[in-house]
Amino acid sequence: MTLTESAEMVRRFHGKLHFVVSGYEKDHRELPQIPEVRRYFAAIAQEWPHWLWFLARECEQIGLLLMMLMDVQLVQQGGGQAGYVIDPGAMKRVLFDLFDRENIMLEALGISEAEISAACDSAMTDLEGMH
């Protein structure tokens, strides 16, 4: 909650948050396939929906978060590669929910519409490369 206590903190840490999940190194599943990890991130997002403002860009953090907040289906591709089937409607619902709840906090702290719009745009640009 420290990150959201003032407009100064919100601006200072915009796009700088990285999350790391440890304790599953021996688990062969991807994080979005592990129910305990999914439940943990869903619980955090329910209480603290501000991920899209704070998560770092250009390092797949936003895409990984969204995959943990949605039902996704892992599909194996050639060469040992894996990909996900993502329901665009589910992604839209999750994104709108996070943006809507986050914007309440941002507006209450006096973050300008231009700043909010730029952050939304950068989050969406970051997702464009998501496969």
Side-chain angles (χ1 to χ4, degrees):
M1 299 302 181
T2 301
L3 293 175
T4 57
E5 70 184 15
S6 70
E8 177 187 346
M9 293 294 285
V10 165
R11 286 185 178 104
R12 181 184 306 162
F13 292 100
H14 169 62
K16 295 193 170 123
L17 180 68
H18 293 262
F19 62 83
V20 177
V21 178
S22 64
Y24 296 92
E25 294 79 8
K26 293 182 182 179
D27 195 317
H28 67 281
R29 298 172 293 177
E30 298 290 325
L31 289 176
Q33 295 178 287
I34 303 173
E36 300 86 0
V37 173
R38 292 173 51 87
R39 282 192 298 272
Y40 180 75
F41 277 89
I44 293 173
Q46 185 61 39
E47 295 295 320
W48 193 80
H50 313 302
W51 291 102
L52 300 175
W53 177 269
F54 290 104
L55 279 177
R57 306 306 198 248
E58 299 180 15
C59 56
E60 301 180 1
Q61 294 277 287
I62 294 174
L64 180 57
L65 172 74
L66 290 178
M67 286 190 292
M68 290 190 288
L69 298 178
M70 301 182 301
D71 288 326
V72 295
Q73 180 182 359
L74 180 70
V75 292
Q76 295 296 331
Q77 299 172 343
Q81 297 274 338
Y84 290 94
V85 175
I86 298 169
D87 175 4
M91 179 181 272
K92 183 177 178 180
R93 285 188 296 278
V94 169
L95 278 169
F96 282 165
D97 174 61
L98 291 174
F99 279 134
D100 286 347
R101 293 188 298 133
E102 177 176 86
N103 287 346
I104 293 168
M105 179 271 303
L106 295 172
E107 290 170 2
L109 289 172
I111 305 301
S112 72
E113 284 187 36
E115 290 172 285
I116 295 170
S117 180
C120 290
D121 290 347
S122 71
M124 296 306 292
T125 298
D126 199 56
L127 286 172
E128 287 177 2
M130 193 171 137
H131 304 99

